[in-house]
Amino acid sequence: MKQLLILSGKGGTGKTTIASAFIRLADAKAYADCDVDAPNLHLITGQNSDPIKTDYYGLPKAEINSKSCIECDQCRQGCRFDAISAEKIYKVDPLACEGCGVCKVVCPVDAISLKPAVAGELMMYTNEEKVFSTAQLKMGSGTSGKLVAEVKKQLKSAAVDVELAIIDGSPGIGCPVIASLSGADMVLIVAEPSVSGISDMERIIKTAAKFGTKTAVCVNKFDTNLDNTDKIEVFCEKEGLHFVGKIPFDSEAVKAINNGRTITDINCSSGAAVKEVYNKTMELFNKVVG
Ligand code: SF4
Ligand code: SF4
């Protein structure tokens, strides 16, 4: 399975809007939402069946057996996450506990155990011979990168014979993005023509370069700042990156998304522009993956 990953250096650039349009245009048989903190691709791509849900276990959480505890305070002193309090009894705050196990090691009476903890939910939709893998991280849980890896693993195992997977990555440059990048054959970066948007774009380009992943760039809402759009084009030329097009700001697109439709489902200027971006991206993708 070849993977086309769609990323942005920050939230709000329209990454998921473009990913959903690509999924529709490619009639993708396998796709995934790796934005496990705030997944919403399922809202736009419209799923007509319930997903298969699986609990995702992240890091374990410490638990103190108050009957065995002799209140020596070593666990509280050893916990660098301030997850242990000593009021009436010694107890662990599960939201603060990172499951490192230090408290268990230092406890002289073996009063602490590490218990598996559900950190999120994996979801898999299968309909019309299509596989869609996604997940939702539980509030306060870490290990989002590991959950992204699980989303991709689930997709691969359910769609073994599918040639192309389109993956909506998570915003930023943190662990979930690194996990999204692992195994991707090409990345399309959706940039926004603002000062912070350019800076974020440069950071995500550097991140993708560390993986040696072929990178293309498009600009969304390009007409909100033509000077900055020019700067992005110049930057891409200088860095030898493929610039695959510009998509205008479009109030019709906003309405389509709010109604749970992709921008290629309606007749609008952004929909026409995204088709051009799609064609150029896929032409490049086919060259890259051979
Ligand atoms: S497992 Fe680590 S983070 Fe959790 S309470 Fe123990 S020392 Fe603190
Ligand atoms: S290290 Fe063990 S005995 Fe000491 S306070 Fe913590 S739980 Fe109690």
Side-chain angles (χ1 to χ4, degrees):
M1 175 191 287
K2 303 293 181 193
Q3 300 175 24
L4 172 65
L5 174 66
I6 302 178
L7 285 180
S8 62
K10 69 192 268 295
T13 61
K15 172 181 62 60
T16 297
T17 301
I18 290 167
S20 63
F22 271 45
I23 288 162
R24 194 72 95 226
L25 289 165
D27 191 22
K29 301 286 184 273
Y31 52 101
D33 187 352
C34 289
D35 188 353
V36 297
D37 286 300
N40 51 23
L41 186 61
H42 62 290
L43 301 174
I44 309 173
T45 49
Q47 303 301 317
N48 50 20
S49 64
D50 291 331
I52 300 162
K53 296 181 176 177
T54 318
D55 282 340
Y56 162 68
Y57 289 85
L59 295 169
K61 302 283 179 189
E63 269 183 30
I64 295 175
N65 179 347
S66 56
K67 287 186 185 141
S68 310
C69 174
I70 55 168
E71 302 186 351
C72 70
D73 202 45
Q74 292 202 43
C75 56
R76 196 186 62 79
Q77 290 175 35
C79 178
R80 59 191 286 253
F81 299 99
D82 282 335
I84 298 176
S85 60
E87 287 163 15
K88 285 184 190 148
I89 54 166
Y90 278 78
K91 63 178 183 188
V92 177
D93 174 358
L95 283 179
C97 176
E98 293 280 332
C100 68
V102 166
C103 54
K104 182 174 167 55
V105 172
V106 299
C107 179
V109 292
D110 203 17
I112 299 179
S113 50
L114 291 170
K115 298 273 171 68
V118 174
E121 194 169 50
L122 275 157
M123 288 162 279
M124 189 162 70
Y125 296 84
T126 46
N127 50 48
E128 295 161 11
E129 297 170 353
K130 293 180 183 178
V131 177
F132 170 39
S133 176
T134 182
Q136 171 78 66
L137 198 66
K138 211 170 146 189
M139 189 178 69
S141 296
T143 66
S144 51
K146 218 174 137 203
L147 182 52
V148 167
E150 291 297 321
V151 168
K152 293 183 74 176
K153 201 165 126 194
Q154 176 174 259
L155 182 72
K156 275 170 105 174
S157 58
V160 272
D161 297 328
V162 177
E163 286 180 10
L164 168 70
I166 295 181
I167 296 169
D168 184 14
S170 39
I173 56 163
C175 275
V177 175
I178 304 296
S180 309
L181 270 164
S182 171
D185 295 277
M186 193 178 121
V187 181
L188 171 65
I189 291 172
V190 180
E192 183 190 80
S194 61
V195 174
S196 63
I198 292 176
S199 161
D200 294 328
M201 175 199 74
E202 289 178 8
R203 288 193 314 157
I204 188 68
I205 285 170
K206 275 188 200 150
T207 309
K210 295 240 185 269
F211 281 75
T213 315
K214 193 83 170 170
T215 300
V217 176
C218 69
V219 180
N220 194 25
K221 305 176 210 159
F222 81 91
D223 45 353
T224 56
N225 192 322
L226 294 175
D227 287 346
N228 282 340
T229 295
D230 286 347
K231 280 182 192 159
I232 293 171
E233 280 199 72
V234 169
F235 174 86
C236 289
E237 204 179 329
K238 214 169 99 196
E239 298 294 320
L241 298 164
H242 296 269
F243 187 82
V244 287
K246 303 183 276 195
I247 301 149
F249 174 77
D250 185 354
S251 55
E252 290 305 311
V254 179
K255 278 188 214 156
I257 297 301
N258 285 340
N259 288 324
R261 304 176 77 189
T262 83
I263 56 174
T264 52
D265 294 335
I266 58 163
N267 194 8
C268 65
S269 58
S270 60
V274 90
K275 275 180 198 154
E276 280 184 38
V277 170
Y278 169 78
N279 288 336
K280 280 192 186 166
T281 305
M282 292 317 292
E283 195 183 319
L284 181 63
F285 183 82
N286 290 332
K287 267 191 213 157
V288 169
V289 301

